[in-house]
Amino acid sequence: MRIMKWLSSIGLDKIVIFTIIFNLTACGTTTASELPKATAQGTPADGKKGYHDLVVGFAQIGAESEWRTANTISIKEEAEKLGVELRFSDAQQKQENQIKAIRSFIAQQVDVIGVSPVVETGWKSVFQEAKEADIPVILVDRRAFVPEELYTTYVGSDFLEEGRNAARVMVGLLGGRGKIVELVGTVGSAPATDRYTGFREILEDYPKIKVIASASGDFTQAKGKEVMEDFLRIYGDDIDALYAHNDDMALGAIRAIEEYGLKPGEDIKIVSVDAAHGAFEAMIAGKLNATVECNPLLGPQFFDLALKVVNGEPVPKRIKSEETIFFPHNAAEILPTRKY
Ligand code: AHR
């Protein structure tokens, strides 16, 4: 009462009473945006975790291609948007670094581990360690050769079908006859193995089309150029077409072909995989004949799966991305709509 008398004497009593009443009223009508963020995502109400409760470790391969950069951005941006705490590691294309990152995520007791395995083999022990620590592993983009119980789900492209699609396009470009050189991705990686196999499955029906040379460019522009220079040195004008397992290697090869004095896209037909911006620019310039889509924008699906898994909800064991093929005739029109 003494305080009220004093507030009244200095003319502040009404303001203080109004403030107290306003605060009490507001307590009863809190809006979603005023709640702590995890609550706004539905956490405590149903006893399930929300995105803001999630701590996710992601063991990325590296930054070998435009595709990979887009994949990393998709994961980081989605984590930020959803409020997930993301612990991200870039392995610089080395499996031992990815394994170290996974072990460190286990030690940190993250809720979920995402990994894009650089090669298929050599994951059994570390995935087993994650399982023993009760941390689900989600494969993103590339598969690993491990027993099914060691990972929860696998989201990514159908690399075999990408290889088949590349061959279907190539058959049309060559009119059923010709000599192809092939730039293979990282040796031992799921996309390199499947794109190699899928391509040959279709070519079996076309005996007049031959793959005369095949070597790895490790999914990078620099190595793609280097290997194409070797192909040109050995086979020169005999080469009718190039099949590159990704756009970056095709772009490197395009430079090698130009330096050699031939016209990419005309003298040597080129089909690659990914459908990244660089490929669209090359198609617009008439230097690339087709690119088979491989979607890197897996962030939204990955975190959706991570949350479901943590909350004990069922998820499919395999989720395939839907993809298409792009050609030069409408590349200029389509390019502005592309997100990577
Ligand atoms: O695993 C997907 C492949 O990895 C992409 O085709 C390639 O560009 C990337 O490096």
Side-chain angles (χ1 to χ4, degrees):
M1 274 334 274
R2 265 160 72 196
I3 289 177
M4 288 313 290
K5 265 190 195 158
W6 175 72
L7 284 171
S8 168
S9 72
I10 59 170
L12 282 178
D13 54 338
K14 287 194 184 66
I15 294 170
V16 170
I17 289 165
F18 172 78
T19 307
I20 292 167
I21 290 172
F22 177 81
N23 280 338
L24 286 172
T25 316
C27 280
T29 58
T30 309
T31 62
S33 62
E34 290 163 330
L35 284 168
K37 281 181 180 167
T39 312
Q41 299 283 334
T43 316
D46 54 10
K48 289 188 170 182
K49 285 203 177 195
Y51 284 116
H52 287 80
D53 305 313
L54 277 193
V55 180
V56 173
F58 195 88
Q60 180 60 289
I61 292 174
E64 74 282 5
S65 60
E66 204 182 343
W67 189 100
R68 187 67 51 200
T69 305
N71 180 245
T72 293
I73 291 172
S74 170
I75 286 156
K76 287 187 174 171
E77 280 186 356
E78 192 64 16
E80 170 113 38
K81 185 176 125 196
L82 299 172
V84 172
E85 184 180 333
L86 177 67
R87 303 191 184 158
F88 186 90
S89 155
D90 173 338
Q92 320 236 315
Q93 273 189 284
K94 291 200 176 77
Q95 183 177 33
E96 75 241 40
N97 290 345
Q98 282 194 297
I99 292 175
K100 265 189 220 154
I102 294 173
R103 291 216 163 102
S104 139
F105 295 147
I106 295 171
Q108 292 167 48
Q109 297 181 306
V110 300
D111 296 306
V112 178
I113 293 172
V115 56
S116 182
V118 60
V119 290
E120 276 192 79
T121 54
W123 300 100
K124 211 170 155 196
S125 316
V126 74
F127 283 15
Q128 183 67 45
E129 289 165 38
K131 191 176 167 63
E132 278 156 21
D134 231 358
I135 301 176
V137 170
I138 298 181
L139 300 177
V140 181
D141 162 37
R142 295 188 187 177
R143 69 171 178 266
F145 185 67
V146 289
E148 281 210 343
E149 69 270 14
L150 292 189
Y151 68 92
T152 313
T153 176
Y154 167 31
V155 59
S157 304
D158 182 343
F159 300 132
L160 208 55
E161 191 56 18
E162 288 170 355
R164 291 185 194 120
N165 278 337
R168 288 178 186 121
V169 172
M170 193 60 102
V171 168
L173 286 168
L174 291 176
R177 161 191 299 269
K179 292 178 186 147
I180 303 171
V181 293
E182 178 183 28
L183 285 169
V184 176
T186 302
V187 175
S189 69
T193 305
D194 288 2
R195 288 172 190 168
Y196 178 99
T197 308
F199 193 73
R200 280 158 182 77
E201 256 182 40
I202 300 298
L203 290 194
E204 263 177 26
D205 294 337
Y206 300 89
K208 289 188 182 141
I209 297 183
K210 301 258 183 260
V211 180
I212 56 169
S214 175
S216 175
D218 210 10
F219 283 128
T220 70
Q221 258 199 51
K223 285 207 183 142
K225 179 168 187 280
E226 219 176 281
V227 177
M228 190 68 205
E229 283 165 356
D230 291 343
F231 287 158
L232 286 162
R233 204 172 306 123
I234 302 166
Y235 302 100
D237 294 354
D238 258 5
I239 302 169
D240 297 308
L242 162 70
Y243 166 40
H245 286 199
N246 82 344
D247 292 340
D248 290 76
M249 292 190 294
L251 296 178
I254 285 172
R255 280 175 32 228
I257 295 167
E258 287 176 327
E259 282 170 23
Y260 185 81
L262 291 176
K263 283 192 178 155
E266 285 182 37
D267 298 326
I268 296 182
K269 307 284 185 217
I270 308 176
V271 178
S272 64
V273 184
D274 277 356
H277 269 147
F280 276 83
E281 279 152 14
M283 287 198 291
I284 294 165
K287 297 177 183 183
L288 178 71
N289 303 87
T291 181
V292 176
E293 187 179 30
C294 177
N295 184 9
L297 308 176
L298 300 172
Q301 275 170 297
F302 169 58
F303 289 109
D304 177 55
L305 288 167
L307 188 63
K308 285 190 172 130
V309 166
V310 161
N311 284 324
E313 291 172 35
V315 293
K317 198 77 191 177
R318 174 75 170 105
I319 299 156
K320 284 186 188 169
S321 311
E322 280 189 20
E323 290 157 348
T324 182
I325 310 171
F326 295 101
F327 298 94
H329 70 275
N330 57 356
E333 196 186 308
I334 291 174
L335 178 58
T337 69
R338 300 290 294 162
K339 296 203 171 68
Y340 67 98

